[in-house]
Amino acid sequence: MSPHPAPTAPRPPLRVALAGIGVVGGGVVRLLEANRELIARRAGRSVEIVAVSARDRHKDRGIDLTRYRWEDDMDALVAADDVDVVVEMIGGADGSALTLARHALGAGKALVTANKAMIAHHGLDLARLAEERDTPLKYEAAVAGGIPVIKAIREGASANEIARVYGILNGTCNYILTQMERNGASFAEALGAAQAEGYAEADPTFDVDGIDAAHKLSILAALCFGTRLDIGAVTANGIRNLIAADIREAEALGHRVRLIGMAERNESGLYQHVQPCLVPADHPLAYVPGALNAVVAEGNFVGRLFFEGAGAGAGPTASAIVADIIDIARDEYGPAFAMPVDSLDAAPVADAGARVGKHYVRLIVEDRIGVLAEIATAMRDAGVSIESFIQRGTDEEDGVVIVLVTHAGPARAIDAALAILAKSDHVVGAPMLMPILAL
Ligand SMILES: NC(=O)c1ccc[n+]([C@@H]2O[C@H](COP(=O)([O-])OP(=O)(O)OC[C@H]3O[C@@H](n4cnc5c(N)ncnc54)[C@H](OP(=O)(O)O)[C@@H]3O)[C@@H](O)[C@H]2O)c1
């Protein structure tokens, strides 16, 4: 028998309602209009926007929305009989976005979302609701924007046990780091450039403190390891404390500084950490420029997979959302986290202090006799073995920059050494600690 059934009557259009018509929502309208014919051929049916909703009906969004029904009340999208899929593009972990998501799934509508904060905090509950109602919950755009990494891990790599997933999960931070690299800019100057280019919000906290990357990492970890999503178990250190000298010293050591989200499952449990790291200059992550994102997943049969692309922006994010809509139009969907919620494990949190590796430590110290000996003593007392000690006479506002590279040892020992040094009157400000990744 032919695997291709004879053509039957055309399927009815898939009817979509859009909630939130900002950067992402506007991109989805444009994409669905521009690629309408192609999408209908690929999906086997047409995809029609039937209704839209946002806060301000009269706002000029640079797109013609008059052909779509406007609803001031988002719940009207859920209540409408002519809506099959609700696309949530509002944002925020809770509030209107979560209410809409719960109502839509509860009513048996398919839900597509770009909202990493909501999935990171409420993904399990939403997935359970979707399972109970046997309706799709899709969130490709929530992780690494336009990169189809959810699909790749959920489907393409689904035969593999994945030991480790890591990557550059925040384009704003990567833009700032590459500005610092190229221009020798300070963090503040590079952040200003990112804001001027529209890559960073006026309040950049979520991005530069690693919170946004933590949301995405927790989602990737659940998918890769079959574990219960647990945003509370992800630790995040951002890039605020980096200075220009860190970027230069990393380069002199044959590395580049990248904000890396890494999740690893080992005998002790699940490790999930976002932090600036030294990445070897010959690793593909060191070449990811500007606001791009990249994800590496290591499968036990496929080996290392590397995905790179735009992690944000109207076009790339819309591309991911519409791919989810096309899957729904084809009836191609399954459990949100690749297995039923009840099959996900509750992995214990791994002991981060036991992780062994080399570390980069940068201190700013007062320029006086005895300070170097004090640092060396603190390291010795904490059991940290120093591989190199670098003092180039680089002055920061308040003192002199000292960089140490340690031999491989447990993170716990470095933490103990820095706790001793935190009490010193000669160490100025917070030290910068970065793992030197052996990838
Ligand atoms: N921007 C990106 O590149 C990107 C990439 C990946 C994922 N995402 C995610 O996509 C989502 C949307 O991001 P965005 O950049 O498009 O945001 P945005 O430009 O700020 O748009 C948000 C939209 O939601 C509407 N809205 C906000 N609060 C609302 C409320 N309480 N009730 C009803 N409507 C409300 C706004 O209405 P008004 O326009 O009337 O104010 C606006 O249309 C977020 O979850 C974000 O994390 C964004």
Side-chain angles (χ1 to χ4, degrees), residues 243-246 248-249 363-365 390-403:
I243 59 174
D246 294 321
R248 283 198 303 274
E249 293 301 342
L363 300 157
I364 299 174
V365 298
I390 306 156
Q391 183 189 355
R392 296 188 203 277
T394 322
D395 289 346
E396 277 295 308
E397 257 169 56
D398 307 317
V400 171
V401 174
I402 305 276
V403 170

Side-chain angles (χ1 to χ4, degrees), residues 358-374:
K358 291 169 73 164
H359 288 84
Y360 167 104
V361 181
R362 184 262 303 151
L363 300 157
I364 299 174
V365 298
E366 288 176 3
D367 191 7
R368 61 162 68 199
I369 292 169
V371 176
L372 296 190
E374 190 182 345

Side-chain angles (χ1 to χ4, degrees), residues 19-25 53-57 59 61 70 74 88-92 96 113-117 141-142 145 212 311-314 317:
I21 312 287
V23 173
V24 175
S53 179
R55 265 180 311 212
D56 178 1
R57 182 178 196 148
K59 192 169 177 176
R61 298 168 196 276
W70 178 279
M74 301 232 166
E88 183 279 309
M89 297 168 289
I90 301 166
S96 307
T113 179
N115 190 334
K116 49 239 161 180
D212 173 77
T317 311

Side-chain angles (χ1 to χ4, degrees), residues 185-221:
S186 68
F187 170 76
E189 289 163 346
L191 171 61
Q195 285 167 327
E197 291 293 323
Y199 291 125
E201 306 278 335
D203 175 3
T205 307
F206 254 54
D207 292 321
V208 301
D209 292 341
I211 301 163
D212 173 77
H215 288 150
K216 297 170 188 167
L217 184 67
S218 67
I219 300 169
L220 281 175

Side-chain angles (χ1 to χ4, degrees), residues 24-44:
V24 175
V28 169
V29 173
R30 286 192 187 91
L31 198 167
L32 283 172
E33 289 177 353
N35 290 356
R36 190 185 156 79
E37 295 303 322
L38 179 68
I39 288 168
R41 278 162 53 214
R42 292 218 169 112

